[in-house]
C-alpha cells in the first residue's frame, strides 16, 4: 500500500479517530515523540528522535496506583492505561529496542501489567532510515536501517510517498482501516532501491566481545574506561533499551500514590545499601555494569544484545565517551573502529 | 495476566516490639485482615517482602516468621532510613502494606534427611529464625537430622528473639550455640567472634548443609572455617541483600552478574555464587 506525502496528514487524522497517535514532532533542532492532536504536527524528516520513544510504553514518571488508608484498611486503586495507541514513524533501532524491553517486563516469573497492557494495545508503525546518521551503528547490533523487528507496519520513504507493508495482524488491521491504495510495481521497485542504497557507515567489531566479557570482569581495561565519566546518566536516560527505575511515594497524609521514575546504574546511590556498603562504589564498577549488562548479562539471559546501535549515548555524552570506542578498547587494539 | 505484582496487601500492625537494648531494631507483627488475604500470601522460610508505609515508601525485609505460625507475618527492622524509621515510630493498629512473598527460599525439600547447621550474625538472623522455626515444627522436625544454630551478636542486648533463644536452649532437638564478641558482666555463655566459635564447635559436614547469614566480614571469615570442616560449596547456602526496589527483576538494581538477587535469589549456594562476579 502507499501513503502519498500529500495525504499523510489526512491519514494521520483518520488514525486519530481510533487511537492515541504518537509521532515525531519538531522542537528546535530535533524531533521528539509526542502525542499529536492533528496530522499536521507530525514531522517525519528526522534522522532520529533525541529522546527514545520508550517512554510511550514505559513513561519517565508513572503513577502505579493511588491509595487512601483508614483505620480498617487501605483502598488501593491501580492506574493501568488500556488506551489504544499508534506510534507512527518509529525508527528500526527503536522498534527493536521495544522487543528487548519485552523480555524485561515480561520475565520468566513476573509480568509488569503497566508496560504489558500498553504494549499489547500499541501498534508500531516503523519508518526505515534512508540516511542513517554518522553515530548510527545498528548493523553491528543485529538491527539495520530497514530491519523490521518489533514493527507492525514498515514504511519506506520513496520520495513522493511511503510504501507501507503490514508485518503483523495488528498492522494489517490498522492498514485495512485506512483504505489506502495498493503500491504499484514501480513503487515497490523504488522501495527496494531505497533499501539497497542505505548505508550505515560505521561498523563496530563485536567478534569475540562476549567471550572477552565472559572472562573479563577483572580486566584492567575497566580501570581507565570510566575515568572521564561525570556520572550524569544522560547515556542511560536516552538509551532506548535502558529500563532501570525507582519507586517512590507521593502523598499527603494517608492519601497518595506510588510512582515509578526512571533511574540509572550510572548514579552512585543506585546500589548503596542502608549499611553504607556499596557493591559498585566508583565509576569503574558502574561503567562495567553498564557494558556488562548490555553485552553480556542480557545476552546470557535473553540471547540478545541490549544495545541497538542508535548512537544516542554517543551524541549526548558531555565528555564524548563513545561506547564504540569502549568496545574496541575492551577487544584490544587489533579491533579497530572503522569509520 | 497474573496478579499485579506492585500492589500491596493491606495488613494491620498489631505489635511494635523493641527487640534490642540499643532500640535500633524493632520486631513488627503484622496481621492479615482476612483468611483470603492470608491464602494469597503463601510463603516459605528465606523469602522476603516489600513492606510499605503509605506516604513514605517501601523497603525489602526478610520474613522472620515461619509459615508454620499462621495468621501473621513478622519482620525485624533496623532503623536506617525513611521507611524503617517510619515503621519504628508506628503505632499499633496502623495499616501498612506488604508486597510479596518475593524471591526464592531455603531449599527445605532438598535439605530433608540432612543435618542442618544455621550460622547467623547480628540482625541478619531474621530469615534464619524463620528456617529454624520451620524445622522445629512438629510437622517437619522428623524430616531433618541434627539442628545446630550458631548465633552471635556484639553484646547480649543485641541478640534478637531472646525469649525464643531461651526456649531453644531447653529443647533437646536443637543444639544452640550463642556467642557475644567480648565478655560482659552477667553473660555466662560463650564469647568470641562467630568464625572462631564455629571453629571451636566444628560442625560435621557429613550429610550436612550450612546456612549462613550475616554481615559481609562475618561471612568472609566464616566460609573458610566451614571449608576446613569439610563443607563443599554445594553444602553452603547464603542469602544476599543487594539494594532492591521492584523485587521482581525489572528495576535493574540488584543484579550480581546475570542473576537478579530479588528474583533468582536471595538464596544461593556458595557453588552458585562462585559462578558469579563478586559484586555484592
Ligand atoms: C532481601 C533483603 C532482605 C532484607 N532484610 C532485612 C531485615 O530483615 N531487616 C532489616 O532491617 N533490613 C533488611 N534489609 C535491608 C533493608 O532493605 C534496608 O535497610 C532498607 O531498605 C532501608 O530502607 P529505608 O527506607 O529505611 O532506608 P532508606 O531511606 O532507603 O535509606 C537507606 C538508603 O538510602 C540512601 N541513603 C540514605 N541516607 C543516606 C546518606 N546520608 N548518604 C547516602 N545515602 C543515603 C542509601 O541509598 C541507603 O542505602 C533487607 C534487604 C534485602 C534486599
Ligand atoms: S553520558 Fe557520558 S558522562 Fe554522562 S554518565 Fe554517560 S558516559 Fe558518563
Ligand atoms: S547503548 Fe547507546 S547506542 Fe546502544 S542503544 Fe543505548 S543509547 Fe543507543
Ligand atoms: S529489585 Fe528490581 S531488579 Fe531486583
Amino acid at each position: 500500500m502507499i501513503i502519498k506525502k500529500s495525504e499523510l496528514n489526512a491519514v494521520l487524522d483518520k488514525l486519530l479517530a481510533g487511537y492515541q497517535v504518537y509521532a515525531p514532532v519538531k522542537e528546535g533542532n530535533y524531533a521528539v515523540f509526542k502525542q499529536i492532536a492533528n496530522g499536521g504536527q507530525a514531522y517525519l524528516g528526522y534522522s532520529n528522535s533525541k529522546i527514545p520513544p520508550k517512554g510511550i510504553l514505559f513513561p519517565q514518571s508513572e503513577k502505579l496506583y493511588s491509595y487512601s488508608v483508614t483505620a480498617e484498611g487501605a483502598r488501593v486503586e491501580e492506574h493501568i492505561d488500556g488506551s489504544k495507541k499508534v506510534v507512527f514513524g518509529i525508527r528500526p533501532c527503536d522498534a527493536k529496542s521495544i522487543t528487548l524491553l519485552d523480555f524485561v517486563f515480561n520475565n520468566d516469573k513476573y509480568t509488569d501489567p503497566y508496560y504489558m497492557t500498553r504494549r499489547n494495545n500499541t501498534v508500531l508503525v516503523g519508518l526505515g532510515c534512508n540516511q542513517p546518521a554518522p553515530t548510527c551503528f545498528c548493523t553491528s547490533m543485529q538491527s539495520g536501517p530497514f530491519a523490521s523487528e518489533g514493527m507492525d507496519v514498515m514504511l519506506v520513504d520513496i520520495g513522493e510517498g511511503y510504501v507501507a507493508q503490514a508485518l503483523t495482524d495488528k498492522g494489517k488491521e490498522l492498514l485495512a482501516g485506512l483504505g489506502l491504495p495498493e503500491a504499484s510495481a514501480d513503487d515497490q521497485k523504488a522501495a527496494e532501491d531505497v533499501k539497497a542504497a542505505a548505508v550505515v557507515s560505521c561498523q563496530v567489531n563485536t567478534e569475540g566481545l562476549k567471550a572477552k566479557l565472559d572472562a573479563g570482569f577483572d580486566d584492567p581495561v575497566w580501570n581507565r574506561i570510566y575515568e572521564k565519566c561525570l556520572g550524569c546518566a544522560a547515556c542511560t536516560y536516552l538509551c532506548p533499551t535502558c529500563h532501570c527505575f525507582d519507586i517512590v511515594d507521593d502523598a499527603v497524609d494517608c492519601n497518595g500514590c506510588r510512582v515509578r521514575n526512571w533511574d540509572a546504574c550510572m548514579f552512585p546511590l543506585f546500589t548503596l545499601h542502608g549499611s553504607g556498603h556499596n557493591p559498585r562504589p566508583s565509576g569503574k564498577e558502574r561503567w562495567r555494569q553498564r557494558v556488562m549488562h548490555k553485552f553480556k548479562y542480557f545476552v546470557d539471559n535473553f540471547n540478545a544484545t541490549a544495545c541497538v546501535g542508535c548512537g544516542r549515548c554517543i551524541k549526548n555524552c558531555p565528555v564524548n565517551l563513545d561506547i564504540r570506542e569502549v568496545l574496541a578498547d575492551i577487544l584490544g587494539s587489533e579491533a579497530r573502529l572503522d569509520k | 495476566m497474573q496478579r499485579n505484582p506492585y500492589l500491596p496487601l493491606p495488613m494491620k500492625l498489631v505489635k511494635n516490639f523493641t527487640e534490642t537494648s540499643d532500640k535500633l531494631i524493632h520486631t513488627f507483627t503484622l496481621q492479615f485482615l482476612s483468611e483470603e488475604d492470608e491464602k494469597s500470601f503463601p510463603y516459605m522460610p528465606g523469602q522476603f517482602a516489600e513492606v510499605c508505609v503509605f506516604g513514605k515508601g517501601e523497603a525489602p525485609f526478610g520474613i522472620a516468621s515461619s509459615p508454620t505460625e499462621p495468621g501473621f507475618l513478622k519482620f525485624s527492622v533496623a532503623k536506617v532510613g525513611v521507611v524503617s524509621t517510619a515503621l519504628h515510630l508506628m503505632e499499633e493498629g496502623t495499616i501498612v502494606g506488604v508486597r510479596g512473598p518475593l524471591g526464592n527460599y531455603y531449599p527445605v525439600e532438598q535439605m530433608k534427611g540432612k543435618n542442618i547447621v544455621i550460622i547467623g550474625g547480628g540482625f541478619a538472623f531474621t530469615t534464619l529464625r524463620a528456617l529454624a522455626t520451620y524445622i522445629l515444627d512438629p510437622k517437619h522436625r522428623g524430616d531433618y537430622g541434627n539442628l545446630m544454630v550458631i548465633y552471635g551478636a556484639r553484646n547480649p542486648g543485641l541478640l534478637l528473639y531472646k525469649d525464643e533463644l531461651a526456649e531453644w536452649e531447653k529443647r533437646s532437638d536443637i543444639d544452640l550455640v550463642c556467642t557475644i564478641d567480648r565478655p560482659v558482666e552477667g553473660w555466662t555463655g560463650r564469647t568470641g567472634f562467630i568464625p572462631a566459635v564455629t571453629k571451636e564447635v566444628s560442625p560435621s559436614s557429613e550429610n550436612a548443609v550450612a546456612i549462613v547469614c550475616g554481615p559481609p566480614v562475618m561471612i568472609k571469615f566464616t566460609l573458610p572455617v566451614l571449608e576446613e570442616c569439610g563443607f563443599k560449596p554445594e553444602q553452603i547456602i547464603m542469602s544476599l541483600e543487594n539494594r532492591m526496589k521492584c523485587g521482581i527483576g525489572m528495576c535493574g538494581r540488584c543484579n550480581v552478574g546475570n542473576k537478579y538477587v530479588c528474583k533468582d535469589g536471595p538464596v544461593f549456594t556458595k557453588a552458585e555464587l562462585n559462578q558469579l562476579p563478586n559484586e555484592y
Side-chain angles (χ1 to χ4, degrees), chain A residues 238-289:
Chain A
L238 296 175
C239 177
T241 72
C242 279
H243 57 79
C244 292
F245 60 84
D246 195 8
I247 301 175
V248 297
D249 270 45
D250 186 2
V252 180
D253 299 330
C254 298
N255 298 302
C257 54
R258 193 142 291 158
V259 179
R260 80 162 151 207
N261 299 313
W262 289 357
D263 201 348
C265 63
M266 301 309 281
F267 291 138
L269 299 185
F270 190 65
T271 52
L272 183 66
H273 292 194
S275 63
H277 167 68
N278 194 342
R280 296 188 203 125
S282 79
K284 170 184 161 176
E285 293 83 12
R286 301 195 277 274
W287 243 98
R288 172 169 62 196
Q289 162 65 15

Side-chain angles (χ1 to χ4, degrees), chain A residues 137 140-142 203-217 219 221-222 225 287-288 290-300 304-307 322-332 334-335:
Chain A
F137 59 103
S140 308
M141 295 293 141
Q142 304 123 45
Q203 304 295 327
V204 178
N205 186 351
T206 55
E207 219 183 295
L209 179 65
K210 174 66 167 56
K212 195 96 189 197
L213 293 175
D214 283 342
F217 193 79
D219 197 297
V221 77
W222 307 115
I225 280 174
W287 243 98
R288 172 169 62 196
R290 179 163 166 247
V291 172
M292 286 287 193
H293 187 203
K294 291 189 178 304
F295 300 98
K296 170 173 160 57
Y297 307 151
F298 214 87
V299 184
D300 286 339
T305 302
C307 168
D322 187 327
I323 194 146
R324 297 169 300 182
E325 283 162 10
V326 168
L327 296 182
D329 209 2
I330 291 166
L331 278 169
E334 74 276 14

Side-chain angles (χ1 to χ4, degrees), chain A residues 175-245:
Chain A
L175 286 187
L178 290 172
L180 296 167
E182 287 300 328
S184 68
D186 283 352
D187 294 338
Q188 307 265 20
K189 169 81 172 49
E192 289 312 313
D193 290 347
V194 166
K195 286 188 191 179
V199 227
V200 171
S201 53
C202 177
Q203 304 295 327
V204 178
N205 186 351
T206 55
E207 219 183 295
L209 179 65
K210 174 66 167 56
K212 195 96 189 197
L213 293 175
D214 283 342
F217 193 79
D218 297 312
D219 197 297
V221 77
W222 307 115
N223 295 330
R224 59 170 195 276
I225 280 174
Y226 77 98
E227 276 177 336
K228 63 178 179 175
C229 174
L230 307 171
C232 69
C235 51
T236 32
Y237 274 70
L238 296 175
C239 177
T241 72
C242 279
H243 57 79
C244 292
F245 60 84

